Amino acid sequence: MYKGLGLIRKFIEFYFGCVGSCMKKILYILISILIFTTGCAYEFVSLRSQAMTYDSMPEEVEDIVLTSRGAAHFGTSLNLSMRNPHTLNPLINQDRSVDRVLKLIFEPLVEIRENMRPTPNLASRIVFAADGMSAVVTLREDALWSDGTRITSGDVTFSLSVIRSPLGSSIYQAITRDISTIEIIDSSNFRVRFSNPQGGISYALNFPPIPRHYYDNHINFSSNRNMMPMGSGIFRVDSFESAHRVNLVPNENRMMGQRPYIEQVTILITDNEQTDFTAFEQGIINILDTEATAFGRFSGARAITTTAYDTNNFVFLGFNFRSHLMDNRDVREAIAHAIDKEFIQESIYLGRARAATTVVNPISFLYNPGGAGTVTHGFNMEEVRTILFRIGARHQEGVLSKELSGLNLPFELRLLVNAESPERIAAAMHIKSNLEEFGMIIHLDIYDFETYLERLSAGNFDMFLGAFNFSVKPDFKPLFHSSNIGLYNHFSFRSERVDELLEQLDTARTEDELWSLMGEFKAIMAYELPVVPIVFTGRTLLSDARITGEMRPVLNNIFSNVAQWRIEWVN
């Protein structure tokens, strides 16, 4: 999927050669300028049949001896960055950059892996009731806090109370909203009661517990314990220098999994993402998590390694159902066939994205390729012509038009796009170019984000290039439920059956039921076409080339296998 720029360039040249369009050559030049000279900020804004029991598979503990290997050495410090924290308590912290590094110090009850399925972590076993309304959770025997004491059920109940405390809006409040109560059975077992059926799997347990014996009566921003946290992760805090740095060392009491090769982690306090970028370029920090195409901004003065990973950031072409032409399903289908997703994926997102065939992420265990609802609208310019001919569209003085409700309507359409996203601007230019080959007139409206949102809310567009960052737990209501028209549902799309399906997806009792509902939902979306799925974007973990070992960043934890990283240098 991730090809070199030379191959991409050859692909573009071949593409242009096939269509023979001067306009597309100009488009290529403009795309290159947009992608390589502009930095952009992304908005980074699971179930089988009746299987109700999930067990974790404890990894072997590997004893690591750090020795020299020829001229190469391992160890020393991994340097990272984050914003100045108000707290290092993960349950009352609200800063995403701080949460990212706190994952080195704290472990969740369940973790989200590459396929977006929740998997037991501190929990060793989760047994769901037949109705999906509760589950008994067993903690791992080797789950310890960094002071060597056992993690208990009381710690979990205490942690939920902290998440729901009035101290602030915890980033884990949304995740845990489906939990009604947690009842202690004994020190290692507890029962979770849910407000909605969980279908045999629970995203609600994807939060890190904190030790009650350490934090009780110290849950406030002024407590020193909030800056010297006690966790269960692979590292523990060794020292904290206010507004300067946090130093981590391996957690010697962690019994789960492999011990780290890295001997120290230094987390520098920085002002903003641009400072991070500069610090990485200068070799002050070793890791930079950034938008997928940012590697084009580097001078190449020093060696770096890029590791791409998937996100749930969905890029799409949306239609305005209040527009006379866009309200016609055949017109939407014709436009869908005019979008070359492979071109957008490879040449605009430089291969750092996945072409989307449905609103479900291709990496998700819910994707089910070839299953129900996987009807796609592939790039096919002949199919565009066939559909336009079938619906009676005709050219008049070189402009395509169609008679609707007694009116002869020209295909003169406004395509709205956000000025802060060069990739989406380039994709909009590609769509404009393809549609104009059929005699359509496409006005490209490029506005700053505030104006873009205003025009979306006012319905002042025919089509728009948009992006939405879906939560890890599948929830399509914000975009497509009729109750959200005027909020995120800018399409003015309304379907009673879709509303019902979206509600039922939240309350599926088994994985089979979830698959069935998802299949019908995807089928309706493929037919109604309120959106044309384009790509799910990726992000890139940039690292100093001295950091070796396979890196496997995942959606909500770029340090998911940090124990296998090494730092190497040559004398």
Side-chain angles (χ1 to χ4, degrees), residues 43 57 150 167 473 483 514 566:
E43 303 157 31
M57 299 294 293
R150 283 281 307 276
L167 287 173
K473 179 181 179 180
S483 65
L514 181 64
R566 300 173 173 88

Side-chain angles (χ1 to χ4, degrees), residues 103-119:
K103 286 178 167 53
L104 295 169
I105 306 170
F106 293 88
E107 298 267 2
L109 290 167
V110 304
E111 62 181 355
I112 308 299
R113 295 198 174 166
E114 290 89 343
N115 66 353
M116 298 187 182
R117 180 191 284 273
T119 304

Side-chain angles (χ1 to χ4, degrees), residues 303-346:
I304 62 173
T305 301
T306 64
T307 304
Y309 69 96
D310 294 284
T311 78
N312 229 4
N313 193 49
F314 176 57
V315 177
F316 58 88
L317 178 71
F319 298 108
N320 184 355
F321 277 53
R322 288 181 285 177
S323 165
H324 290 299
L325 283 171
M326 296 300 95
D327 190 41
N328 185 289
R329 191 255 171 206
D330 291 318
V331 172
R332 299 196 300 275
E333 184 180 11
I335 292 173
H337 283 297
I339 300 175
D340 189 346
K341 297 176 185 179
E342 290 187 5
F343 173 82
I344 294 173
Q345 174 200 13
E346 293 289 347

Side-chain angles (χ1 to χ4, degrees), residues 91 105-110 121-124 137-160 182 184 186-190 205 207-215 230-235 251 253-256:
L91 302 186
I105 306 170
F106 293 88
E107 298 267 2
L109 290 167
V110 304
N121 185 50
L122 289 179
S124 64
V137 181
T138 301
L139 294 168
R140 290 175 61 141
E141 292 183 4
D142 58 354
L144 307 177
W145 299 116
S146 59
D147 65 354
T149 60
R150 283 281 307 276
I151 299 176
T152 69
S153 300
D155 294 322
V156 178
T157 58
F158 171 72
S159 299
L160 182 65
I182 295 179
I184 296 175
D186 56 40
S187 63
S188 297
N189 297 275
F190 57 91
L205 298 174
F207 68 90
I210 60 176
R212 181 169 195 159
H213 69 275
Y214 184 77
Y215 283 101
M230 178 184 292
S232 56
I234 193 167
F235 293 97
N251 175 6
N253 285 315
R254 184 178 187 268
M255 303 300 293
M256 297 167 48

Side-chain angles (χ1 to χ4, degrees), residues 386-531:
T386 299
I387 294 172
L388 292 176
F389 178 79
R390 186 179 72 229
I391 65 176
R394 297 290 184 268
H395 285 90
Q396 293 184 350
E397 299 180 358
V399 177
L400 191 71
S401 63
K402 173 177 171 50
E403 185 174 323
L404 285 173
S405 304
L407 298 174
N408 189 41
L409 297 177
F411 279 76
E412 186 170 2
L413 305 171
R414 310 204 73 87
L415 174 53
L416 180 64
V417 65
N418 174 14
E420 285 80 4
S421 175
E423 286 84 3
R424 274 181 254 161
I425 293 173
M429 292 168 62
H430 160 74
I431 295 169
K432 169 183 167 71
S433 174
N434 282 0
L435 294 178
E436 287 182 340
E437 288 193 15
F438 298 97
M440 299 185 191
I441 300 173
I442 308 297
H443 299 283
L444 201 57
D445 293 338
I446 304 174
Y447 291 101
D448 63 85
F449 189 61
E450 184 176 346
T451 306
Y452 169 82
L453 289 180
E454 289 175 356
R455 293 178 73 89
L456 279 178
S457 297
N460 192 3
F461 65 94
D462 295 295
M463 304 178 288
F464 72 101
L465 252 295
F468 188 83
N469 194 38
F470 287 117
S471 63
V472 174
K473 179 181 179 180
D475 184 7
F476 304 99
K477 290 195 297 294
L479 273 187
F480 302 117
H481 198 284
S482 61
S483 65
N484 286 317
I485 291 176
L487 297 174
Y488 293 111
N489 183 349
H490 297 296
F491 329 104
S492 296
F493 172 67
R494 191 184 302 273
S495 165
E496 288 186 10
R497 182 52 185 157
V498 167
D499 287 351
E500 291 172 358
L501 287 169
L502 293 175
E503 298 295 340
Q504 291 168 2
L505 281 168
D506 261 356
T507 58
R509 294 171 185 263
T510 68
E511 192 162 329
D512 276 352
E513 184 181 352
L514 181 64
W515 281 107
S516 176
L517 293 168
M518 185 65 73
E520 184 181 352
F521 169 67
K522 290 192 296 181
I524 293 176
M525 299 304 291
Y527 179 79
E528 294 291 348
L529 277 173
V531 302

